[in-house]
């Protein structure tokens, strides 16, 4: 048998799980060492993180391999050029016949042919081949284009390579009956190193839409491939003009030196020359390949079904179990934010402003911020209710395609939570209406306990949208498993629920971390004074008020909360953060109290306060999970550094139109 399917790929195909094919010519001929190996491993990692199985395809020792492990990737990335061949459809048989010691780096056409033979429907690459410049006289047209006309594999790429004639390439694909789409909102087909080619094709607004198009093409039993153009990520777009100038120079040199008449050698020569002329071209090339791999995997997941999205599995002898480092419980919602352009608003009248819809909810925002700042992108799972309604689809698409978060722990519900927020001209919250009751109804104590059992998190964060009974379940689990957790009080109305949870358990529990604002703090402190009455030291309050230059009432509330909170990061808005932490576990009032002023924000910035506090909490969670030291072993200086990290994240979200900034 000359076709060897890797066990992981075989298992995924048999189970109907998503699989994404990857070519190997970019490893053997496209990128310099050791970048080629690093890129190959990173591309596979990107696909796995989304929840799909990577299948890098290559020919080794007379066998076509569908899926390569790291040792095989290392071998082809460090192969002898004299015994390594570019393997398109037309040369697959020749390379197979070479036998032991020979390597075939499969091109787009070769990879597509073998992917279809193995039953793989989606393929990610950098750029497809196409019609070469001057093809009207040379007839130099890539076999990739004819392969796309006869092989039912969807190709995700950043367009055709920029050394080619893009308009003629698209005309040729149309002649072959190959549908071409773009994820570029402008409708332009990407031009490899840039998002703009000057050629327009139909727009795909989401990976779900792309999956539906692929499914319809398969239902019609059409045998053509499909092309989905994925624009290069924005952070590399600025290098595009410089690289394109290098492309034009390399093409001129290829004509002057006769390289344009050397067939298969032309493209590798041009790419190497571009890399010499524009140093950022390799960085951009790797960036777009990884982005294409991730996008293809997201589409593969959508095509396979939501049950396969972003699931990280391990085997412990009793079947697959899900794991996470951080588990965040609470609300995920669609935030509809209305911000006035005028300082004064009048009742019973409309006000000029801006309305924006985005993914939100306290738990979602905390999870998203944590996810953005933590190195292991599989580490964070969100447990929140989500329905298959319009708002649920908006949330799911955002989590999968924008933030690339895991979605496997979401809980089914009757409807998706909605929050309608009214902001003032400076971004301050004026009023809001939140439909969040679905959190209490869906995340019952039984659901919470089952999720904890399934995922076995090492750190827990929970917002106050959970019912007191569900919070009690978290308190019990955290105590029995000795897990550090963070409580985000969420709102003045709901903040007391953690105390109600302790009343249900008929026992006071020391919460490791709380992140209240000053108003939530006051409400919780009043409840504590009623439930767990203690006598405070008036002199201590006066001294701390003087040293921090903060009101005595605030200091009194903070000291009151030390009965149930080991460390408090109290958010004071423009006045910064008050850090209150106990010197030893279970010893209230023996505390360190430090006031950290707010980070300065440029006065010309438009502010959006909806997710700043959640971004602050998420940054604390993320950075706690990068430390080798246990939480209770952190020094006061460590905690102050956590505050600074949280403030930086909060400021980025404050100055973003989104609840949690993309560049947090």
């Amino acid at each position: 048998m000359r076709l060897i399917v890797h066990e992981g790929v075989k298992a995924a195909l048999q189970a109907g799980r998503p699989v994404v094919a990857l070519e190997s010519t970019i490893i053997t001929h496209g990128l310099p060492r050791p970048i080629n190996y690093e890129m190959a491993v990173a591309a596979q990692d990107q696909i796995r993180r989304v929840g799909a199985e990577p299948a890098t395809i290559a020919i080794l020792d007379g066998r076509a391999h569908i899926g390569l492990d790291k040792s095989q990737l290392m071998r082809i990335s460090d192969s002898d050029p004299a015994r390594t061949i570019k393997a398109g459809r037309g040369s697959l048989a020749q390379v197979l016949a070479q036998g032991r010691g020979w390597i075939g780096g499969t091109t787009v056409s070769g990879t597509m042919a073998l992917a279809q033979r193995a039953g793989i429907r989606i393929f990610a690459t950098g750029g497809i081949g196409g019609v070469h410049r001057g093809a009207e006289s040379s007839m130099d047209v890539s076999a990739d284009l004819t392969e796309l006309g006869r092989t039912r594999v969807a190709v995700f790429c950043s367009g055709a390579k920029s050394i080619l004639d893009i308009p003629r390439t698209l005309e040729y694909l149309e002649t072959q009956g190959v549908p071409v789409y773009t994820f570029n909102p402008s409708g332009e087909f990407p031009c490899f190193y840039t998002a703009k080619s000057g050629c327009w094709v139909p727009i795909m607004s989401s990976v779900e839409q792309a999956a539906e198009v692929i499914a319809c093409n398969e239902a019609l039993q059409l045998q053509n491939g499909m092309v989905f153009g994925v624009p290069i990520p924005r952070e590399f777009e600025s290098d595009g003009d410089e690289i394109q100038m290098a492309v034009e120079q390399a093409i001129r040199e290829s004509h002057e030196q006769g390289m344009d008449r050397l067939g298969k050698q032309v493209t590798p020569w041009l790419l190497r020359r571009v890399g010499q002329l524009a140093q950022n071209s390799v960085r951009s090339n790797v960036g777009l390949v990884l982005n294409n791999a991730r996008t293809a995997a997201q589409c593969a997941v959508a095509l396979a079904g939501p049950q396969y999205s972003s699931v990280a599995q391990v085997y412990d002898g009793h079947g697959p179990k899900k794991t996470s480092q951080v588990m965040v419980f609470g609300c995920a919602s669609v935030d509809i934010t209305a911000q006035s352009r005028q300082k004064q608003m009048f009742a019973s009248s409309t006000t000029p402003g801006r309305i924006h819809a985005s993914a939100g909810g306290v738990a979602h925002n905390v999870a998203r911020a944590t996810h953005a700042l933590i190195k292991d992108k599989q580490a964070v799972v969100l447990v929140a209710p989500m329905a298959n309604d319009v708002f649920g689809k908006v949330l799911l698409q955002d989590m999968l395609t924008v933030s690339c978060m895991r979605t496997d722990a979401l809980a089914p519900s009757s409807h998706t939570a909605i929050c309608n927020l009214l902001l003032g001209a400076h971004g301050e919250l004026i009023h809001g209406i939140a439909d969040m009751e679905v959190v209490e109804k869906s995340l019952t104590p039984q659901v919470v306990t089952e999720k904890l059992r399934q995922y076995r998190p090492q750190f827990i964060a929970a917002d106050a949208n959970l019912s007191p009974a569900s919070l009690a379940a978290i308190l019990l689990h955290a105590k029995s498993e000795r897990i550090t957790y963070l409580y985000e009080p969420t709102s003045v109305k709901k903040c007391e629920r953690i105390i109600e949870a302790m009343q249900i358990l008929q026992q006071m529990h020391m919460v490791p971390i709380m992140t209240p604002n000053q108003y939530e703090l006051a409400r919780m402190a009043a409840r504590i004074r009623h439930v767990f009455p203690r006598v405070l030291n008036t002199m201590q309050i006066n001294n701390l008020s003087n040293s921090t230059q903060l009101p005595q009432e605030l200091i009194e509330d903070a000291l009151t909360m030390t009965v149930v909170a080991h460390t408090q990061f109290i958010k004071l808005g423009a006045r910064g953060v008050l850090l209150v932490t106990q010197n030893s576990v279970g010893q209230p009032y023996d505390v360190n109290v430090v006031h950290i002023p707010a980070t300065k924000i440029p006065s010309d910035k438009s502010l959006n306060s909806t997710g700043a506090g959640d971004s602050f909490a998420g940054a604390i969670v993320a950075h706690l999970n990068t430390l080798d030291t246990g939480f209770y072993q952190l020094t006061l200086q460590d905690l102050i550094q956590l505050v600074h990290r949280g403030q930086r994240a909060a400021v980025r979200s404050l100055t973003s139109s989104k609840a949690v900034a993309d560049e947090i």
Side-chain angles (χ1 to χ4, degrees), residues 389-575:
D389 54 17
V390 173
F391 295 110
K393 290 177 181 177
V394 169
L395 267 175
L396 188 63
Q397 179 180 336
D398 184 271
M399 290 179 67
L400 286 173
T401 63
V402 179
S403 53
C404 302
M405 293 168 63
R406 288 176 62 172
T407 59
D408 48 296
L410 295 173
S413 64
S414 59
H415 66 280
T416 302
I418 305 292
C419 188
N420 196 335
L421 303 169
L422 176 61
L423 305 182
H426 298 292
E428 70 278 13
L429 180 63
I430 303 297
H431 193 65
I433 298 176
D435 180 5
M436 306 292 182
E437 290 183 358
V438 67
V439 179
E440 298 178 54
K441 295 177 180 178
S442 300
L443 300 188
T444 63
Q446 293 77 17
V447 170
V448 167
T449 301
E450 179 60 22
K451 294 292 185 183
L452 290 168
R453 186 193 66 79
Q454 285 181 334
Y455 286 83
R456 299 168 292 177
Q458 300 169 26
F459 190 101
I460 301 170
D463 73 28
N465 287 297
L466 291 170
S467 69
S470 293
L471 288 171
I474 291 175
L475 291 176
L476 284 177
H477 181 86
K479 183 177 181 180
S480 65
E481 299 296 326
R482 297 184 179 181
I483 296 173
T484 303
Y485 60 100
L486 178 147
Y487 176 65
E488 168 46 52
T490 304
S491 70
V492 173
K493 183 174 178 60
K494 298 176 181 178
C495 60
E496 301 172 68
R497 290 184 174 183
I498 193 71
I499 304 165
E500 295 171 18
M502 296 177 194
Q503 289 180 287
I504 290 173
L505 298 173
Q506 298 182 335
Q507 184 180 4
M508 185 181 71
H509 284 251
M510 185 62 66
V511 178
I513 306 168
M514 284 193 187
T515 55
N517 63 33
Q518 55 191 319
Y519 308 108
E520 295 157 353
L521 173 71
R523 184 69 171 261
M524 288 192 292
R527 184 65 174 266
I528 287 290
R529 282 190 281 265
H530 177 72
V531 178
F532 304 113
R534 296 283 181 97
V535 177
L536 295 178
N537 185 323
T538 304
M539 183 176 294
Q540 182 185 23
I541 294 172
N542 291 335
N543 290 339
L544 289 172
S545 177
N546 291 333
S547 64
T548 60
Q549 296 186 332
L550 293 172
Q552 290 186 7
E553 294 81 1
L554 177 64
I555 300 298
E556 181 178 352
D557 290 340
L559 292 181
T560 298
M561 286 302 298
T562 60
V563 173
V564 295
H566 179 274
T567 298
Q568 302 168 68
F569 298 97
I570 303 166
K571 296 167 287 188
L572 305 177
R575 290 188 295 179

Side-chain angles (χ1 to χ4, degrees), residues 119-133:
I120 300 172
R121 302 183 284 177
I122 290 182
F123 164 38
T125 185
I128 59 171
V131 177
H132 283 253
R133 303 187 191 194

Side-chain angles (χ1 to χ4, degrees), residues 133 158-162 166-167 170 182 184-200 229-234 236-238 240-241 244 248:
R133 303 187 191 194
S158 290
K161 295 180 177 69
S162 54
I166 307 300
L170 292 174
T182 182
N184 195 335
S186 70
E188 279 190 89
F189 188 63
C191 185
F192 203 66
Y193 292 118
T194 75
K196 301 174 182 178
S197 67
C199 302
W200 280 263
V230 184
I232 188 171
R234 289 180 183 176
F236 305 109
E237 177 73 12
S238 60
D241 292 339
Q244 194 57 40
E248 300 302 329

Side-chain angles (χ1 to χ4, degrees), residues 321-354:
K321 287 184 180 287
K322 303 166 186 176
T323 61
S324 70
Q325 285 178 255
V326 179
M327 175 165 273
V328 184
F329 288 91
C331 181
S333 68
V334 172
D335 288 348
I336 302 173
T337 305
Q339 183 169 6
S340 171
R341 289 200 181 104
Q342 297 180 348
K343 292 183 179 179
Q344 187 175 7
M345 290 182 282
F346 300 96
S348 304
S349 177
T350 59
T351 300
R354 184 176 63 89

Side-chain angles (χ1 to χ4, degrees), residues 230-273:
V230 184
I232 188 171
R234 289 180 183 176
E235 60 262 36
F236 305 109
E237 177 73 12
S238 60
D239 298 329
D241 292 339
E242 176 192 347
I243 298 172
Q244 194 57 40
M245 291 175 60
V247 168
E248 300 302 329
Q249 180 177 337
I251 290 172
R252 288 195 302 271
E253 292 178 3
S254 73
H255 289 293
E256 294 166 0
Q257 300 176 28
M259 293 300 302
D260 60 317
R261 297 187 293 275
L262 296 182
K264 290 182 181 181
Q265 299 178 42
V266 177
T267 298
W269 186 90
L270 284 171
L271 293 176
R272 279 195 298 272
R273 185 61 182 139

